[in-house]
Amino acid sequence: MSLMKIGVIGGGQLARMMIAPAVELGVEIRVLAEGEGMSAQLAATAVGDYKDAETVLAFAKDVDVITFDHEHVPQPVLRALVDAGVPVHPGPDALQFAQDKLVMRAKLAELGAPQPDWAAVADEADLRAFLDDHGGRAVVKTPRGGYDGKGVRVVSDPSEVADWFASWDGPLLVEELVAFTRELAQQVARRPSGEVVAYPVAETVQRDGVCAEVIAPAPKASEKLIELAARLGVQVAEGLGVTGMLAVELFETADERILVNELAMRPHNSGHWTQDGSVTSQFEQHLRAVLDLPLGATDLASEWAVMINILGGPAEGGLTERFASAMAAHPAAKIHTYGKDPRPGRKVGHVNMVGDDLDDVVYEARAAAAFFA
Amino acid sequence: MSLMKIGVIGGGQLARMMIAPAVELGVEIRVLAEGEGMSAQLAATAVGDYKDAETVLAFAKDVDVITFDHEHVPQPVLRALVDAGVPVHPGPDALQFAQDKLVMRAKLAELGAPQPDWAAVADEADLRAFLDDHGGRAVVKTPRGGYDGKGVRVVSDPSEVADWFASWDGPLLVEELVAFTRELAQQVARRPSGEVVAYPVAETVQRDGVCAEVIAPAPKASEKLIELAARLGVQVAEGLGVTGMLAVELFETADERILVNELAMRPHNSGHWTQDGSVTSQFEQHLRAVLDLPLGATDLASEWAVMINILGGPAEGGLTERFASAMAAHPAAKIHTYGKDPRPGRKVGHVNMVGDDLDDVVYEARAAAAFFA
């Protein structure tokens, strides 16, 4: 007998990491996977194309809510679910802001949320004008489909995205190149009935456009910064009508401003530290939020939590041995793996470490993760 | 791609609670369930009779190790697995001590482990002699098959177990009635290759022979008691050749002695607090131990951890509502449910709560669990 039934579209590691809290809460979890042998295989009850409304509607029968491993389900499919009376969280109105960065920028501007200067540019002339106004360099993004640094280029001349202008249907997004001092991530959860909670803001370190490390709370963050980030996260969640987890990736500037960089409406890599570092993990919180159950406490479980991503090395040999070596050397490290075949650069797991001395925690987390490099 | 494959015999809540750490570690977990819709249904890859060697051998094909949700797999079936070259942890030699309390008492005596006075009694005359030597009252147990207070009677006259003498094949176990001040539980994990770790000893509170509450570490425990209990746990694990988790239930006496009451060679109700109160939960530790992976840290995650069992109320109505009410009132409480239909007295879940103030933690854990009463 399960408490409730949740259907997750997408079989990646985010769906996988919802399994543990679902089992503990007593929530039945069903996954619509893209294929066999996906990361969330254990909970996969269907395999099919999430772009196909019929497939998704069949999967959604007899669950209490539909939620997501990713933000790529097309709007017509989302609308078909809603029309069929299926609760969908986050819903299509919110998800459009995560699906299209131009739509997001326009909405954040309307909300008055702090963000980099930006423009929709239809051609090289538009982009040249923006570059001229912003010191000759800027970030160009395809409005849809980018992730982990893909679909993002820093340019100083419009010709550097000539291929995108030639192939992309519609305008591109250009943003000022923010001279940030560091990147932060604010996790927030919101229920359909309105309750909203914020986690302590974390510092994120990116390498080659991919999240490498997260430290929570963000070191040396003033009370003011922590409050500012939490308030901004709540403002965005409420303003965009987000239900479930929201990750707001932020730039912090030298003059202590924070600017919205990216949004994700689901558990996010920048919040994996909560699995071992918070009273309520972002995965449990997402389940509670989309099921409209009361939200869990977001207090830290220790003074510090550090997350280090494991990027898959060579496909050949030795993951089990490296795993055992990491465990032997670091018995307090929490190693999470995603059941994915290792491939260079692929996220195949992460290490969480918590404790009261930041230097120790960082050192040990990195040392444990290094066994997988 | 999974790190390793583990096969669990038995589909109860202990198997269920192995699922979360298996998913996070990247270990594939397969369960041989007794029927459809068991607590560990999500990981059930087979349904069948664990007393049937053929069924169990078929299930054990292609896993790296076989372990257990319970201790009831018959010795001939365990031996058949070993003969077929399947790693079995704990193995049959160790499990016999958990399966037969007379065999356990004799072995503990051989090890010199402290335990209550005991005897094997073949008839009412034997039992009368023991009663006469021990103040006229004693505890009589059927050597096999008892749990949660079943198979245990406090007697002052042999006639009170006349039915057992008439029906039981072989002698009964009689134990002195220990004037204990409280009950404790010592959790220990041991790998096949020999590594062994101990958790801080916990206090357990039983009601009607069923575990009701656990507080870790045991309040007001002296350094000496904590060391004594850990050493005894390790001694028993090594002396009995246990692999995996071992729970040693103990009596503490007014003169600060500890005596072995019962043993369980698996994750045990008295160790559920470790899910939220320790760096490594007993379920993760059991997986690591039986897979012969390096063991995890057994440090407390907070100063105190409290576990309260949820015993199923009336079959009718309202579990979801009670769940939501408990969550709303106690956002830091960790509620674990087992996916079992509620029945009076049945263990259907538990609440864990951690923190730095024992009174607060106990109060809040009880208050959260009370929503399910």
Side-chain angles (χ1 to χ4, degrees):
Chain A
M1 207 216 63
S2 286
L3 194 67
M4 292 167 129
K5 290 191 202 108
I6 194 164
V8 185
I9 297 180
Q13 66 257 32
L14 301 177
R16 179 191 182 94
M17 290 188 274
M18 293 178 203
I19 296 174
V23 168
E24 290 310 314
L25 288 174
V27 170
E28 185 180 327
I29 180 166
R30 299 179 183 180
V31 168
L32 173 61
E34 293 83 346
E36 296 296 336
M38 294 283 295
S39 197
Q41 171 73 31
L42 181 63
T45 56
V47 168
D49 181 3
Y50 60 78
K51 298 191 198 81
D52 178 61
E54 211 173 313
T55 300
V56 172
L57 281 165
F59 171 70
K61 279 218 173 91
D62 190 33
V63 299
D64 294 294
V65 64
I66 285 288
T67 190
F68 310 95
D69 173 71
H70 57 71
E71 290 129 345
H72 309 318
V73 179
Q75 283 285 328
V77 175
L78 298 170
R79 302 283 170 191
L81 284 169
V82 172
D83 290 346
V86 179
V88 177
H89 295 294
D93 290 342
L95 270 171
Q96 62 175 329
F97 302 114
Q99 292 178 326
D100 190 307
K101 290 171 184 160
L102 277 171
V103 178
M104 172 194 78
R105 286 293 178 215
K107 181 69 179 180
L108 291 180
E110 184 192 315
L111 292 175
Q115 57 179 339
D117 277 352
W118 65 280
V121 287
D123 52 31
E124 294 194 24
D126 279 2
L127 178 52
R128 183 166 308 278
F130 189 92
L131 284 167
D132 289 347
D133 286 351
H134 292 86
R137 288 184 83 208
V139 184
V140 182
K141 297 179 178 177
T142 56
R144 294 165 164 272
Y147 69 98
D148 280 355
K150 290 171 189 67
V152 176
R153 287 187 199 157
V154 177
V155 304
S156 48
D157 191 280
S159 65
E160 293 170 59
V161 286
D163 56 330
W164 285 356
F165 278 125
S167 64
W168 191 262
D169 183 24
L172 297 173
L173 170 64
V174 60
E175 297 173 357
E176 89 179 281
L177 198 64
V178 176
F180 60 85
T181 51
R182 62 175 171 175
E183 293 186 74
L184 302 171
Q186 175 64 52
Q187 261 69 33
V188 167
R190 184 169 171 274
R191 290 171 67 178
S193 56
E195 188 191 2
V196 59
V197 294
Y199 286 81
V201 68
E203 176 173 345
T204 66
V205 179
Q206 319 283 323
R207 277 188 209 111
D208 305 324
V210 179
C211 177
E213 291 189 19
V214 178
I215 303 175
K220 296 176 190 161
S222 64
E223 280 297 314
K224 190 186 137 202
L225 175 67
I226 290 170
E227 256 194 62
L228 200 65
R231 257 209 320 271
L232 177 55
V234 169
Q235 181 195 12
V236 172
E238 291 178 340
L240 273 51
V242 179
T243 42
M245 284 298 303
L246 167 70
V248 185
E249 295 185 90
L250 299 162
F251 295 127
E252 184 181 1
T253 64
D255 54 350
E256 277 224 316
R257 287 182 307 138
I258 49 174
L259 306 174
V260 177
N261 178 21
E262 303 270 358
L263 299 180
M265 294 184 191
R266 48 176 170 77
H268 185 254
N269 198 165
S270 61
H272 288 356
W273 65 269
T274 58
Q275 288 177 306
D276 301 289
S278 174
V279 171
T280 309
S281 87
Q282 65 170 349
F283 299 99
E284 178 182 341
Q285 197 75 281
H286 188 72
L287 300 183
R288 293 165 79 134
V290 301
L291 287 164
D292 205 13
L293 287 168
L295 301 179
T298 56
D299 305 82
L300 292 160
S302 278
E303 283 195 50
W304 298 103
V306 173
M307 190 271 340
I308 314 278
N309 272 335
I310 300 173
L311 299 181
E316 287 301 310
L319 186 61
T320 304
E321 288 68 27
R322 286 183 274 166
F323 202 89
S325 303
M327 283 178 154
H330 304 284
K334 305 313 294 177
I335 305 171
H336 301 263
T337 68
Y338 307 156
K340 290 158 77 173
D341 292 324
R343 263 205 314 260
R346 189 182 206 195
K347 289 178 185 169
V348 296
H350 64 274
V351 174
N352 282 338
M353 181 82 204
V354 306
D356 294 340
D357 183 291
L358 179 57
D359 289 343
D360 286 355
V361 174
V362 169
Y363 174 82
E364 224 181 302
R366 284 182 188 159
F371 280 95
F372 298 92
Chain B
M1 208 217 61
S2 285
L3 193 69
M4 292 167 129
K5 290 190 201 108
I6 195 165
V8 184
I9 298 181
Q13 65 258 32
L14 301 177
R16 179 191 182 94
M17 289 187 275
M18 293 177 202
I19 296 173
V23 168
E24 291 310 315
L25 288 174
V27 170
E28 184 179 327
I29 180 167
R30 300 178 183 180
V31 168
L32 173 62
E34 292 84 344
E36 296 295 335
M38 295 283 294
S39 197
Q41 170 74 32
L42 181 62
T45 57
V47 168
D49 182 3
Y50 60 78
K51 298 192 198 79
D52 178 61
E54 211 173 313
T55 300
V56 172
L57 281 165
F59 171 69
K61 279 219 172 89
D62 190 35
V63 299
D64 293 294
V65 64
I66 285 288
T67 191
F68 310 95
D69 173 72
H70 57 71
E71 290 131 343
H72 309 317
V73 178
Q75 284 285 328
V77 175
L78 298 172
R79 303 283 170 190
L81 284 169
V82 172
D83 290 346
V86 180
V88 177
H89 294 294
D93 289 341
L95 270 171
Q96 63 174 329
F97 302 113
Q99 292 178 326
D100 189 307
K101 289 170 183 162
L102 276 171
V103 177
M104 172 194 78
R105 286 297 177 211
K107 181 70 179 179
L108 291 180
E110 185 192 315
L111 291 174
Q115 58 178 339
D117 277 353
W118 65 280
V121 287
D123 53 31
E124 294 194 24
D126 280 1
L127 177 52
R128 182 164 311 276
F130 189 92
L131 284 167
D132 289 347
D133 285 351
H134 292 86
R137 288 184 82 208
V139 184
V140 182
K141 297 179 179 178
T142 56
R144 294 166 164 272
Y147 69 98
D148 279 356
K150 288 171 190 68
V152 177
R153 285 186 201 158
V154 176
V155 304
S156 47
D157 191 278
S159 64
E160 292 169 60
V161 286
D163 55 331
W164 286 357
F165 278 124
S167 63
W168 190 262
D169 184 23
L172 298 174
L173 169 64
V174 60
E175 297 173 357
E176 87 180 282
L177 197 64
V178 176
F180 60 85
T181 50
R182 61 175 173 176
E183 292 186 74
L184 303 171
Q186 175 64 52
Q187 260 70 32
V188 167
R190 184 169 170 273
R191 290 171 67 179
S193 57
E195 188 191 2
V196 59
V197 293
Y199 286 81
V201 69
E203 177 173 346
T204 67
V205 179
Q206 320 282 324
R207 275 186 210 113
D208 304 324
V210 180
C211 177
E213 290 188 20
V214 177
I215 304 175
K220 296 177 190 161
S222 64
E223 279 298 315
K224 189 187 137 202
L225 175 67
I226 289 171
E227 256 194 60
L228 199 66
R231 255 207 323 269
L232 178 54
V234 169
Q235 181 194 13
V236 172
E238 290 178 340
L240 274 51
V242 179
T243 42
M245 284 296 304
L246 167 70
V248 185
E249 295 185 89
L250 299 162
F251 296 125
E252 184 181 3
T253 64
D255 54 349
E256 277 224 315
R257 287 183 307 137
I258 49 174
L259 306 174
V260 176
N261 178 20
E262 303 270 358
L263 299 180
M265 293 183 192
R266 48 174 170 77
H268 185 255
N269 198 164
S270 62
H272 288 356
W273 64 270
T274 59
Q275 289 177 305
D276 301 288
S278 175
V279 172
T280 309
S281 87
Q282 66 170 348
F283 298 99
E284 178 182 341
Q285 198 75 280
H286 188 72
L287 299 183
R288 293 166 79 135
V290 302
L291 287 165
D292 205 14
L293 287 168
L295 301 179
T298 56
D299 305 83
L300 292 161
S302 278
E303 284 196 50
W304 298 102
V306 173
M307 192 271 340
I308 314 277
N309 271 335
I310 300 173
L311 300 180
E316 288 299 310
L319 186 62
T320 304
E321 290 69 27
R322 285 183 276 166
F323 202 89
S325 303
M327 283 179 154
H330 304 284
K334 306 312 294 177
I335 305 171
H336 302 262
T337 67
Y338 307 155
K340 291 158 76 174
D341 292 325
R343 263 205 314 261
R346 190 184 206 194
K347 289 178 186 170
V348 296
H350 65 274
V351 174
N352 282 338
M353 181 84 205
V354 305
D356 293 339
D357 183 291
L358 180 56
D359 288 343
D360 285 356
V361 174
V362 169
Y363 174 83
E364 224 180 301
R366 285 181 187 159
F371 280 95
F372 298 92

